[in-house]
Amino acid sequence: MKKDLGSAGELFPQSVFIVGSYDEDGVPNAMNVAWGGECTRNEIAINIGDHKTTDNILAKGAFTVAPADAAHVIEADYFGMATGRKVNKAEASGMTFVRSEHVDAPVIEEFPLTMECVVKDVQDWGGEKRFIGEIVNTRVDESVLDAEGHVDFDKMRPIVYDSTRRIYRVVGEEVGGAWNAGKKLM
């Protein structure tokens, strides 16, 4: 038996992305964004409302995106709770913000993977902005790479947001091979 839940969106997981940006004075900021993801192999889309990060991205035309990891869940949650319009989140978090060599946006050194993006398109969505960013570089800490040089998410331990319970979870176990498990039905 199934139950109707109405119009509530219940897709899981929602990635936890930390979006880095600079304001017009070069002050770094970070924001926790759950509404986003890769939309092509070299593009990412993020949807955000009226935030300091929105202003920063519009002013600079660039941003960085770091998937949050279990080791930094406290800082990741803080980046979603505090507002950059009232506090300097970079200073308050104690994390290390460094200038990207590829875009006009900061990289947070403690996060093991960061995609550096230039704004390719901005779309208005009912009071929110959808930023489409072209990924011009991806930086990754070698400690989360496997022997072949690919990101090993078991080592990285990215977190996802469970909106039904308002908790973070670690990405879990492998259950099947992509483009392989379905061969049993071919």
Side-chain angles (χ1 to χ4, degrees):
M1 176 156 222
K2 294 191 179 185
K3 179 181 178 180
D4 289 338
L5 295 179
S7 64
E10 296 295 333
L11 290 179
F12 177 80
Q14 286 180 283
S15 296
V16 178
F17 294 131
I18 305 305
V19 176
S21 62
Y22 286 124
D23 71 10
E24 290 179 350
D25 298 322
V27 176
N29 188 47
M31 178 182 175
N32 182 323
V33 175
W35 304 108
E38 285 184 293
C39 49
T40 69
R41 185 70 180 138
N42 65 346
E43 292 178 332
I44 190 163
I46 56 170
N47 296 345
I48 57 177
D50 181 25
H51 296 277
K52 176 76 171 163
T53 298
T54 310
D55 299 340
N56 293 354
I57 295 171
L58 289 170
K60 295 292 186 172
F63 58 94
T64 57
V65 176
D69 62 341
H72 300 97
V73 67
I74 293 168
E75 295 88 349
D77 195 47
Y78 169 75
F79 289 144
M81 295 170 58
T83 174
R85 289 195 170 119
K86 294 183 179 176
V87 299
N88 182 323
K89 291 194 264 185
E91 287 179 2
S93 71
M95 297 189 93
T96 310
F97 287 66
V98 298
R99 186 166 293 280
S100 164
E101 295 178 17
H102 302 277
V103 300
D104 194 5
V107 172
I108 303 170
E109 286 291 302
E110 288 82 358
F111 291 114
L113 185 142
T114 303
M115 293 168 280
E116 299 162 277
C117 305
V118 294
V119 174
K120 187 173 181 181
D121 191 23
V122 180
Q123 302 164 358
D124 289 313
W125 283 75
E128 294 190 355
K129 298 282 187 206
R130 172 173 287 167
F131 293 101
I132 308 297
E134 179 182 352
I135 302 166
V136 298
N137 186 54
T138 299
R139 290 179 53 164
V140 64
D141 191 302
E142 291 180 24
S143 69
V144 299
L145 296 177
D146 64 16
E148 290 82 39
H150 300 113
V151 176
D152 182 337
F153 291 105
D154 285 334
K155 291 179 181 179
M156 186 175 150
R157 300 191 68 223
I159 59 174
V160 293
Y161 177 58
D162 177 344
S163 63
T164 62
R165 290 175 182 76
R166 296 183 67 171
I167 59 173
Y168 298 108
R169 297 178 180 271
V170 174
V171 174
E173 67 184 279
E174 179 181 329
V175 295
W179 302 102
N180 188 24
K183 286 181 181 177
K184 294 178 180 176
L185 299 177
M186 296 297 279

